[in-house]
């Protein structure tokens, strides 16, 4: 397999994403790779649902920071890790990020915060696994 230097881990604070963080840490140790955590605030969806005030934006940013801080806190000191925050459509933004940052692998949960259960993959994990140019590991 190609040299795995950076592993992208998209996190949404869900149980699936927490499991992906744990698994990604194990992979990062095995490959001596760096972890890049990415949270995407789905501003487009929110703009449709609500008039986007500064207070809402602030709350969304804080929620994302808390999710990223929790992921970083799981990482042992010998594993390099960095957190990133973006706005937009999660699926498209994950792929853009992975290409721009030349990530060698994506590790993510099969499901996220969505309420519909019983389907193996959520819409974000399905889109990423279908369209990513690098290997994708889906944690269930
Ligand atoms: N906003 C986000 N930012 C970063 N990563 C995300 C985001 N949303 C989802 N993910 C990643 O994608 C994985 C699968 O979540 P997904 O959103 O596809 O499932 P779902 O929420 O159950 O379904 P849906 O969103 O289609 O209702 C999560 O475990 C997480 O790793
Ligand atoms: Mg979701």
């Amino acid at each position: 397999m190609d040299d795995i230097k950076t592993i992208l881990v998209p996190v949404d604070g869900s149980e699936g994403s927490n499991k992906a963080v744990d698994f990604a840490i194990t992979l990062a140790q095995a490959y001596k790779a760096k972890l890049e955590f990415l949270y995407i605030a789905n501003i487009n969806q929110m703009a449709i649902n609500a008039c986007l005030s500064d207070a809402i934006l602030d709350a969304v940013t804080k929620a994302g920071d808390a999710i990223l801080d929790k992921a970083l806190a799981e990482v042992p000191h010998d594993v390099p890790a960095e957190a990133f925050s973006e706005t937009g459509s999660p699926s498209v933004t994950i792929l853009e990020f992975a290409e721009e940052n030349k990530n060698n692998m994506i590790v993510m949960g099969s499901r996220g915060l969505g309420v519909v259960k019983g389907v193996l993959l959520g819409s974000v994990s399905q889109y990423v696994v279908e369209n990513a140019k690098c290997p994708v590991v889906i944690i269930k």
Side-chain angles (χ1 to χ4, degrees):
M1 198 187 283
D2 289 349
D3 205 10
I4 306 294
K5 292 198 181 78
T6 64
I7 301 174
L8 175 60
V9 189
V11 289
D12 66 355
S14 65
E15 195 193 329
S17 130
N18 292 343
K19 281 192 198 167
V21 170
D22 288 348
F23 197 86
I25 289 170
T26 308
L27 285 176
Q29 285 172 320
Y31 285 112
K32 300 203 185 324
K34 179 192 169 199
L35 291 171
E36 298 191 353
F37 297 115
L38 173 65
Y39 169 78
I40 297 132
N42 197 347
I43 298 288
N44 293 343
Q45 186 58 45
M46 281 180 252
I48 296 165
N49 293 343
C51 181
L52 214 55
S53 68
D54 284 353
I56 292 172
L57 268 180
D58 203 44
V60 172
T61 309
K62 285 217 177 79
D65 287 350
I67 289 166
L68 289 167
D69 284 349
K70 186 169 175 281
L72 285 174
E74 299 284 320
V75 182
H77 292 298
D78 59 329
V79 177
E82 200 174 346
F84 300 86
S85 199
E86 300 276 352
T87 55
S89 147
S91 50
V92 173
T93 309
I94 289 167
L95 291 185
E96 281 174 0
F97 187 97
E99 280 179 40
E100 271 168 31
N101 292 278
K102 301 188 170 45
N103 295 121
N104 307 111
M105 185 190 285
I106 301 172
V107 179
M108 62 196 298
S110 58
R111 297 302 311 258
L113 295 170
V115 286
V116 181
K117 300 292 167 207
V119 185
L120 175 61
L121 296 176
S123 60
V124 178
S125 46
Q126 173 153 11
Y127 186 89
V128 171
V129 87
E130 279 176 7
N131 295 289
K133 301 210 170 103
C134 65
V136 180
V137 179
I138 299 284
I139 307 303
K140 53 180 277 196

